[in-house]
Amino acid sequence: MAYVVTENCIKCKYTDCVDVCPVDCFHEGPNFLVIDPDECIDCTLCVAECPANAIYAEDDVPKDQLQFIALNAELAKQWKVIVEKKDAPADADEWLNVKDKLQLLKR
């Protein structure tokens, strides 16, 4: 069971989770992070580090976020690995907890 980054990360893209990942399973897109399910070792370290509370165990992803399981797997194949924390976007806090952001995801 892998961990999954969900909608609340869109346009927030805090990277605190990246710093604690022991296997470098995070991949970075323009305004979102994903976890490669094939690389994730289910260590749970990233969950507590996510300021957006956007990371869930695959079995615990909220029903309205289930599409993010496949989206993480798909985009992890397209995006580059990120291994170091970066500054969040300047407006990240404004986007925190905004609902229905999927249409804002940049691929």
Side-chain angles (χ1 to χ4, degrees), residues 2 5 12 15 19 22 43 52 56 61 64 83 85 90 98 100-101 104:
V5 181
C12 291
T15 57
D19 258 354
C43 70
Y56 294 87
V61 173
D64 66 337
V83 296
K85 182 179 177 177
V98 171
D100 300 320
K101 298 190 286 185
L104 302 174

Side-chain angles (χ1 to χ4, degrees), residues 27-66:
H27 293 250
E28 180 184 25
N31 67 350
F32 187 57
L33 298 174
V34 296
I35 293 173
D36 183 337
D38 295 329
E39 296 296 323
C40 180
I41 60 169
D42 309 325
C43 70
T44 76
L45 294 174
C46 59
V47 176
E49 293 301 316
C50 179
N53 296 314
I55 303 174
Y56 294 87
E58 187 174 343
D59 291 344
D60 296 332
V61 173
K63 288 186 189 280
D64 66 337
Q65 303 283 305
L66 291 175

Side-chain angles (χ1 to χ4, degrees), residues 52-84:
N53 296 314
I55 303 174
Y56 294 87
E58 187 174 343
D59 291 344
D60 296 332
V61 173
K63 288 186 189 280
D64 66 337
Q65 303 283 305
L66 291 175
Q67 69 270 28
F68 283 91
I69 296 170
L71 193 60
N72 273 242
E74 172 194 339
L75 295 176
K77 290 176 176 47
Q78 298 173 21
W79 292 347
K80 292 185 179 192
V81 172
I82 177 174
V83 296
E84 294 181 342

